[in-house]
C-alpha cells in the first residue's frame, strides 16, 4: 500500500514513520510512505506558500496553487487516481471502521494544513475526505496523518507479525481488549489470573470475553451499547 503525504514539514513524517513496525513494513516493501513538500510548488520568489486572509482576521492562509500542484503531483506519482484526505478538526472523526475502509485502498494521499487553514477553493477541487482525529486543535495535520497511517498500515496483511492480533484487539466487535500478562507469574505480590495458567482454551476465551465486557462497561459504556446491539445481547 502506498501512502503519500503533502506537507510543509516532510521531515516530520519521514522521521516519525521510519522506526518500529512501520519502518519494518517499509523495509519489507509492504507499504511505502513518500512525501511532497508543498513549498516546492510555491509560485513566489521567496518560496512563500501563505498569505493574509481575505476579510481580515488572525493568522495566515495557505494559498490554493501550491497546494493544488503538490496534490496533483502526488496523485500523478500514484498513477493519477487516489483519495485525498485532508486532516482538519472539521472533518469526520477517525475511528477503526474508517481505518478498515481506507486499508482497502491501494494508494492514499494525505494533505496537511498549517497556519489558519487552506484556501477553500483548492479543498473543493482536490479533497475527497476530510478527517479529524478528535475534538481538539493541533498545530498542523502531520501528527493526525501519522496517526491515520499507523492505524491503516497495521491492517495491511503481513505488517503485524501475527495476523490474528489485528482482529481480536480493542474495538473489534466494539469491545476493549482484555488484560494481558507475561512472565513472571508473580510480580509485586500480584498473581497472574489462574485461568490463564490452566491451558484450558475455552475457559480462557470465556474469561477474556468477560474481562473485555467488564472494561468496556467501565471505560466506554457507549461502545458496550453498540456491542450489545450488534450481537443481540440484552
Ligand atoms: N489539524 C489540526 N487539528 C486536527 C485534528 N484534531 N484532526 C485532524 N487534523 C487536525
Amino acid at each position: 500500500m502506498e501512502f503519500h503525504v503533502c506537507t510543509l514539514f516532510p521531515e516530520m513524517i519521514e522521521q516519525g514513520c521510519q522506526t518500529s513496525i512501520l519502518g519494518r513494513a517499509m523495509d519489507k516493501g509492504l507499504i511505502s510512505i513518500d512525501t511532497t513538500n508543498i513549498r516546492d510548488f510555491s509560485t513566489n520568489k521567496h518560496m512563500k506558500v501563505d498569505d493574509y486572509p481575505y476579510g481580515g482576521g488572525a493568522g495566515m492562509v495557505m494559498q490554493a496553487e501550491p497546494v493544488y500542484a503538490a496534490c496533483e503531483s502526488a496523485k500523478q506519482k500514484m498513477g493519477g487516481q487516489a483519495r485525498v484526505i485532508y486532516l482538519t478538526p472539521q472533518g469526520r472523526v477517525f475511528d477503526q471502521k474508517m481505518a478498515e475502509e481506507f486499508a482497502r485502498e491501494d494508494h492514499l494521499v494525505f494533505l496537511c494544513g498549517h497556519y489558519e487553514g487552506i484556501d477553500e477553493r483548492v479543498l473543493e477541487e482536490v479533497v475527497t475526505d476530510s478527517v479529524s482525529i478528535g475534538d481538539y486543535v493541533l498545530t498542523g495535520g502531520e501528527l493526525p496523518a501519522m496517526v491515520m497511517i499507523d492505524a491503516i498500515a497495521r491492517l495491511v496483511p503481513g505488517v503485524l507479525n501475527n495476523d490474528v492480533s489485528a482482529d481480536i484487539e480493542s474495538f473489534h466487535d466494539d469491545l476493549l481488549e482484555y488484560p494481558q500478562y507475561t512472565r513472571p507469574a508473580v510480580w509485586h505480590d500480584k498473581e497472574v489470573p489462574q485461568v490463564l495458567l490452566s491451558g484450558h482454551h475455552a475457559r480462557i476465551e470465556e474469561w477474556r470475553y468477560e474481562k473485555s465486557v467488564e472494561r468496556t462497561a467501565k471505560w466506554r459504556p457507549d461502545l458496550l451499547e453498540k456491542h450489545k446491539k450488534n450481537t443481540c445481547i440484552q
Side-chain angles (χ1 to χ4, degrees):
M1 171 153 200
E2 293 181 65
F3 300 96
H4 200 111
V5 185
C6 296
T7 166
L8 289 170
F9 301 99
E11 64 286 354
M12 234 177 125
I13 306 291
E14 284 152 13
Q15 286 167 16
C17 294
Q18 74 192 9
T19 42
S20 187
I21 292 177
L22 291 191
R24 218 173 37 229
M26 282 197 275
D27 292 343
K28 285 203 249 169
L30 296 168
I31 60 166
S32 65
I33 305 173
D34 290 318
T35 56
T36 288
N37 191 338
I38 297 170
R39 201 174 295 284
D40 291 344
F41 295 87
S42 168
T43 52
N44 176 288
K45 67 171 187 262
H46 304 294
M47 301 307 275
K48 265 181 62 144
V49 290
D50 60 338
D51 211 329
Y52 296 100
Y54 276 117
M60 304 290 270
V61 176
M62 285 171 72
Q63 292 172 296
E65 186 53 31
V67 170
Y68 179 75
C71 289
E72 287 304 303
S73 160
K75 273 163 62 179
Q76 281 314 314
K77 285 182 189 155
M78 297 181 138
Q81 285 288 321
R83 278 165 89 164
V84 177
I85 301 166
Y86 174 46
L87 289 312
T88 168
Q90 295 165 38
R92 201 151 59 100
V93 178
F94 188 55
D95 61 12
Q96 190 64 26
K97 207 160 153 244
M98 246 199 253
E100 283 160 18
E101 182 198 319
F102 285 128
R104 282 183 224 119
E105 302 285 331
D106 293 324
H107 320 276
L108 289 173
V109 174
F110 292 85
L111 170 60
C112 304
H114 255 267
Y115 315 119
E116 288 308 305
I118 299 182
D119 189 308
E120 190 68 20
R121 292 167 296 181
V122 66
L123 298 178
E124 287 166 9
E125 281 203 22
V126 301
V127 172
T128 58
D129 302 86
S130 291
V131 181
S132 163
I133 60 158
D135 288 339
Y136 40 82
V137 182
L138 300 165
T139 55
E142 286 75 14
L143 288 171
M146 284 193 269
V147 165
M148 286 187 68
I149 290 171
D150 191 289
I152 297 165
R154 62 191 290 291
L155 299 175
V156 171
V159 169
L160 295 182
N161 282 335
N162 47 346
D163 270 343
V164 282
S165 79
D167 254 18
I168 56 165
E169 69 208 353
S170 294
F171 300 121
H172 180 72
D173 272 345
D174 297 311
L175 286 178
L176 300 183
E177 201 188 356
Y178 47 78
Q180 297 275 20
Y181 302 85
T182 187
R183 285 191 289 186
V186 182
W187 181 82
H188 282 199
D189 292 337
K190 292 173 198 267
E191 284 178 19
V192 169
Q194 278 304 310
V195 62
L196 299 179
L197 311 175
S198 69
H200 195 298
H201 290 298
R203 242 182 271 154
I204 291 172
E205 284 309 301
E206 200 180 322
W207 180 88
R208 286 179 164 169
Y209 178 70
E210 276 167 21
K211 290 289 160 193
S212 281
V213 171
E214 228 174 83
R215 280 192 159 186
T216 314
K218 187 164 177 201
W219 301 114
R220 293 292 306 273
D222 57 313
L223 276 185
L224 189 61
E225 282 313 305
K226 261 169 91 182
H227 171 75
K228 283 182 182 170
K229 223 182 262 164
N230 292 339
T231 49
C232 303
I233 296 173
Q234 295 312 307

